[in-house]
Amino acid sequence: SARIPAASVRIGRYPALLVLAHGCAVLAASDLCPIRFNRRRFIPLAILAIAGLSSLLTFAGAWRYSITFLDAGQADCAVVRTRGHTYLIDAGDTYTPAADYLNATCLHLDGVLLTHPHQDHAGGLADVLESFAPDVIYVPKGWFEVEEVSAAVTEGIELAKGMGVEIRELSTGDVLSLSGTATLEVYSPDGMELPREVNDMSLLTLVTCEGQRALFTGDLSEKGEPEVIPDADVLKVAHHGSNKGT
């Protein structure tokens, strides 16, 4: 029933001051309050106002352009926010911090980009889907041709399919509009054939917003790099800083 449209509404996580205000409103609306009932019955409207204010503050926090790299251990997980839109680039491992962070900081997840089907990049997808149904999940071209995929990654993809989430494959030349001011451009893989190493099918993507550019590399190895690599202000180093990376 919770998946019926408008069956539930997500609100922003309350900061401490709004928690206090909410508690005071509940107390004022109860029989413990000396206010006459005909006046007291309107006090619950304040609870709705507090919820609305919390959501407004959460949306405002997602309006400015930011990229947050989460501490996911030996895994990758980053959140891109711009003009009220939120995107997750890699979901971390099964112990991902992504779900908790997103629950605290955003109202809607526009998309999830998984650089390649290794557990330390896509294993946390199922956990994220327990809280959010993103509009679309982006994966590299050839994702469904990989034979050896962990159970955690498979679980996440199957869960997404069951929820009706669109899964779209990307390859070199694809450009996504993240918001009115931000784009994501794909430089790899070319999608022509499946690389021998799964790491080398990693999405190499450039996020550009307000003149600032961030390059995400997944677990791409040096030999798997394309000939053209764009300049960037921020580089997410490949394969957790491996000496076989860029």
Side-chain angles (χ1 to χ4, degrees), residues 61-213:
W63 186 260
R64 65 185 180 86
Y65 172 53
S66 67
I67 299 176
T68 304
F69 295 92
L70 302 181
D71 183 359
Q74 187 66 18
D76 275 4
C77 193
V79 178
V80 178
R81 291 182 290 183
T82 170
R83 295 294 178 96
H85 299 278
T86 303
Y87 297 85
L88 179 66
I89 299 183
D90 280 330
D93 211 325
T94 51
Y95 49 83
T96 179
D100 284 344
Y101 182 81
L102 292 171
N103 274 315
T105 60
C106 79
L107 303 176
H108 176 72
L109 185 58
D110 292 81
V112 176
L113 186 144
L114 303 174
T115 57
H116 63 294
H118 275 166
Q119 183 167 312
D120 57 343
H121 291 255
L125 178 61
D127 191 28
V128 172
L129 293 177
E130 290 295 327
S131 300
F132 291 89
D135 295 335
V136 59
I137 295 175
Y138 300 101
V139 298
K141 186 84 172 174
W143 175 286
F144 296 103
E145 298 175 34
V146 176
E147 296 180 357
E148 296 184 7
V149 179
S150 73
V153 175
T154 300
E155 177 190 359
I157 292 297
E158 292 303 314
L159 181 58
K161 290 179 179 179
M163 296 170 64
V165 178
E166 178 187 0
I167 300 178
R168 188 184 307 173
E169 292 184 290
L170 300 177
S171 59
T172 303
D174 288 332
V175 179
L176 306 178
S177 176
L178 304 184
S179 70
T181 59
T183 60
L184 182 146
E185 187 173 357
V186 181
Y187 284 81
S188 182
D190 59 20
M192 300 298 292
E193 60 179 333
L194 194 66
R196 294 181 60 185
E197 296 290 337
V198 175
N199 285 338
D200 287 338
M201 71 182 296
S202 293
L203 283 166
L204 178 67
T205 57
L206 181 72
V207 174
T208 303
C209 183
E210 301 173 4
Q212 298 180 332
R213 296 167 297 181

Side-chain angles (χ1 to χ4, degrees), residues 212-240:
Q212 298 180 332
R213 296 167 297 181
L215 189 64
F216 292 85
T217 57
D219 278 354
L220 195 64
S221 71
E222 183 178 3
K223 65 179 182 180
E225 291 178 354
E227 293 183 3
V228 177
I229 296 180
D231 291 334
D233 302 294
V234 175
L235 170 67
K236 201 296 292 182
V237 295
H239 206 175
H240 321 285

Side-chain angles (χ1 to χ4, degrees), residues 1-42:
S1 298
R3 293 177 183 173
I4 297 174
S8 61
V9 176
R10 177 177 292 277
I11 62 175
R13 182 170 291 185
Y14 286 5
L17 189 60
L18 290 188
V19 171
L20 179 62
H22 180 92
C24 291
V26 171
L27 183 63
S30 72
D31 291 337
L32 298 175
C33 181
I35 300 175
R36 285 168 31 191
F37 176 75
N38 60 344
R39 295 181 180 178
R40 199 171 69 228
R41 62 183 178 181
F42 296 107

